[in-house]
Amino acid sequence: MDTKPSICMYFQVHQPDRLRQYRFFDIGNERYYYDDFANRTILRRVADRCYLPMNRLLIDMAASFGRKFKVAFSISGSVMEQLERYAPEVIDSFRELAGTGCVEFIAETYSHTLASLVSAQEFEKQVGLHAAMVQEYFGKKPKSFRNTELIYSDEIGAAVARMGYSCMLTEGARHILGWKSPNYVYTNAINPKLKLLLRNFSLSDDIAFRFSDTSWQGWPLDCRKYASSLRESVSDGNVVNLFMDYETFGEHQQAGSGIFEFMKNLPEAVFSETDMEFSTPSRVAAKYSPVAALNVPFPISWADEERDTTAWLGNELQNEAFSKLYSLSDKVTAADDPELSADFLKLQESDHFYYMCTKFFSDGAVHSYFNPYDTPYEAFINYMNVLSDFMLRVDARLKQD
């Protein structure tokens, strides 16, 4: 069997449904919660800067290199709904990309939520919704899974395995790995049938965060230098997992930085400088035998220095909003109302809790990016006003039955 080391590139595509300014006096009087102008403006900007040019570049790369070049995506239901509304040509370009045969589409929660941390039932329902969406748009049932923000624990992994997935992506967090390398395949500690691919955060962040940083000692990052780093990294392992936001290309790292040229030339540099090949998550999971179980008793993520869930649930504001929201889960299910169910999904988007984050350390700029609020307290008050109205609507619907 071919045992060439692999490069597994995966991109997260997501934009939230930002809430409009919702005042106390709107409660009970205004049932539409979303800032359509902001959502349309930001989505169109990201589509023009990132999604359309990067998709075109990947389509051209697939044409140049054939099946030798491969990438993977997870695309949230939240962003797909906005693309349908504001930029349907992006969906067409993703379909064209899917048609190259060089792409794997990965399952996740439909609306990029934290349901896995609180409700097994809600988590499974959302994953099912997302898998059905992937099947509808791209014609394939997803085989691999990534949770919102790569959130993972032993229990979450076991739940994912029960849903039938054989591969899951998560973070190669230092406090979990210790001396071990992220460049191997691992297994879930409860159900070894679930294989784990761990993000190499150093090499991923060279592109995602440091590429245009002129004060970084590795700047400027050229393809041959990066290919050499990939080769050196995989001397200890089988696969380098490069996981990042898709908005890295053209948005976080703007076109003038040379990011598109870097990506265009990367495959040729890899093929000339290394013996590595590009692969997809399900292919990596099938190709390499796992070296060990990974013990993750408490949830990890790819956020901040701590690589935990405190970016979303690290203060009293966030926890109050989160617990109040999920206390409605049974009521929303009982109400069985499509409009309420749709709003419940949107209100679960992890971004709403991210905006309430009060810690600003190394990733402060990331917390503020795309953030519509001046302070976490404004985010909390606005969200709780919306949630108060939503609760009234749920109760009113239940009284009708």
Side-chain angles (χ1 to χ4, degrees):
M1 185 179 181
D2 178 20
T3 55
K4 274 186 178 181
S6 295
I7 299 167
C8 182
M9 296 194 80
Y10 149 75
F11 306 123
Q12 167 187 285
V13 186
H14 170 66
Q15 288 294 324
D17 294 277
R18 294 164 191 83
L19 302 175
R20 71 178 186 84
Q21 189 174 24
Y22 196 92
R23 296 179 174 85
F24 175 79
F25 295 105
D26 291 325
I27 299 171
N29 297 312
E30 177 54 63
R31 65 193 309 174
Y32 192 75
Y33 307 137
Y34 312 106
D35 188 339
D36 289 342
F37 178 78
N39 290 327
R40 179 176 64 248
T41 302
I42 292 172
L43 191 82
R44 281 299 336 174
R45 187 183 86 196
V46 178
D48 292 338
R49 288 184 180 181
C50 170
Y51 301 158
L52 290 170
M54 192 60 185
N55 281 5
R56 175 47 52 193
L57 178 60
L58 294 177
I59 291 164
D60 291 345
M61 290 163 72
S64 297
F65 297 102
R67 298 297 177 92
K68 289 173 67 180
F69 179 72
K70 291 181 171 63
V71 293
F73 286 91
S74 66
I75 309 177
S76 73
S78 303
V79 76
M80 286 295 284
E81 289 182 7
Q82 290 189 49
L83 289 171
E84 284 277 20
R85 199 174 306 135
Y86 305 129
E89 68 275 23
V90 174
I91 296 178
D92 293 337
S93 72
F94 272 118
R95 282 181 166 140
E96 185 179 352
L97 188 54
T100 66
C102 297
V103 181
E104 177 177 353
F105 291 95
I106 300 172
E108 63 162 299
T109 56
Y110 183 85
S111 48
H112 202 76
T113 78
L114 306 173
S116 62
L117 298 175
V118 68
S119 171
Q121 183 179 1
E122 184 68 24
F123 180 46
E124 184 171 353
K125 180 169 73 176
Q126 292 179 20
V127 174
L129 280 174
H130 186 269
M133 184 202 76
V134 172
Q135 178 91 45
E136 177 187 348
Y137 280 98
F138 305 115
K140 290 186 178 178
K141 183 179 179 181
K143 299 177 183 177
S144 305
F145 183 81
R146 57 85 62 186
N147 200 10
T148 303
E149 307 296 344
L150 297 189
I151 291 172
Y152 175 82
S153 69
D154 295 336
E155 292 290 345
I156 292 170
V160 170
R162 287 194 295 273
M163 294 180 210
Y165 294 97
S166 57
C167 170
M168 184 169 177
L169 285 57
T170 189
E171 175 68 17
R174 275 202 193 100
H175 69 279
I176 294 297
L177 281 171
W179 56 267
K180 297 189 287 293
S181 167
N183 301 334
Y184 290 96
V185 175
Y186 293 85
T187 63
N188 175 258
I190 297 172
N191 188 336
K193 289 182 179 179
L194 183 76
K195 295 184 178 180
L196 302 176
L197 306 189
L198 310 184
R199 186 175 84 112
N200 185 309
F201 63 82
S202 177
L203 287 168
S204 297
D205 290 351
D206 283 351
I207 298 175
F209 291 110
R210 292 184 281 270
F211 185 83
S212 59
D213 181 1
T214 55
S215 66
W216 174 44
Q217 63 179 9
W219 187 88
L221 185 64
D222 65 64
C223 291
R224 291 187 179 278
K225 188 193 305 184
Y226 192 71
S228 295
S229 297
L230 292 170
R231 184 184 63 234
E232 290 168 17
S233 179
V234 88
S235 64
D236 176 25
N238 298 319
V239 56
V240 180
N241 296 304
L242 304 174
F243 303 163
M244 62 198 80
D245 284 328
Y246 202 35
E247 290 82 7
T248 293
F249 305 99
E251 187 66 45
H252 301 323
Q253 307 296 336
Q254 296 187 3
S257 69
I259 190 70
F260 290 108
E261 291 79 5
F262 174 85
M263 280 300 295
K264 178 182 178 181
N265 296 320
L266 182 59
E268 188 58 53
V270 166
F271 297 140
S272 63
E273 299 290 321
T274 80
D275 65 344
M276 303 177 76
E277 64 181 10
F278 289 89
S279 196
T280 59
S282 61
R283 170 67 181 146
V284 168
K287 182 178 177 182
Y288 305 110
S289 298
V291 294
L294 196 69
N295 292 294
V296 188
F298 304 105
I300 59 173
S301 77
W302 70 355
D304 297 346
E305 290 182 337
E306 298 88 348
R307 302 294 198 260
D308 58 15
T309 59
T310 54
W312 306 275
L313 299 173
N315 64 41
E316 290 182 8
L317 304 177
Q318 293 167 314
N319 284 296
E320 181 180 344
F322 187 75
S323 60
K324 185 69 68 72
L325 173 70
Y326 279 98
S327 71
L328 300 173
S329 186
D330 289 343
K331 284 186 173 182
V332 173
T333 300
D336 193 24
D337 180 283
E339 190 174 328
L340 290 174
S341 295
D343 282 340
F344 189 53
L345 276 174
K346 289 180 172 66
L347 292 176
Q348 288 182 66
E349 292 167 353
S350 65
D351 310 75
H352 302 307
F353 306 99
Y354 202 62
Y355 299 146
M356 301 175 201
C357 185
T358 50
K359 62 173 189 171
F360 292 95
F361 299 124
S362 63
D363 289 357
V366 180
H367 286 286
S368 63
Y369 206 84
F370 291 140
N371 190 338
Y373 302 100
D374 291 331
T375 71
Y377 307 100
E378 286 182 26
F380 172 75
I381 291 167
N382 202 63
Y383 184 84
M384 294 305 284
N385 284 343
V386 168
L387 194 56
S388 295
D389 183 82
F390 181 73
M391 292 168 69
L392 291 176
R393 289 171 56 209
V394 171
D395 287 341
R397 179 67 181 85
L398 289 172
K399 285 178 182 176
Q400 293 175 9
D401 295 337

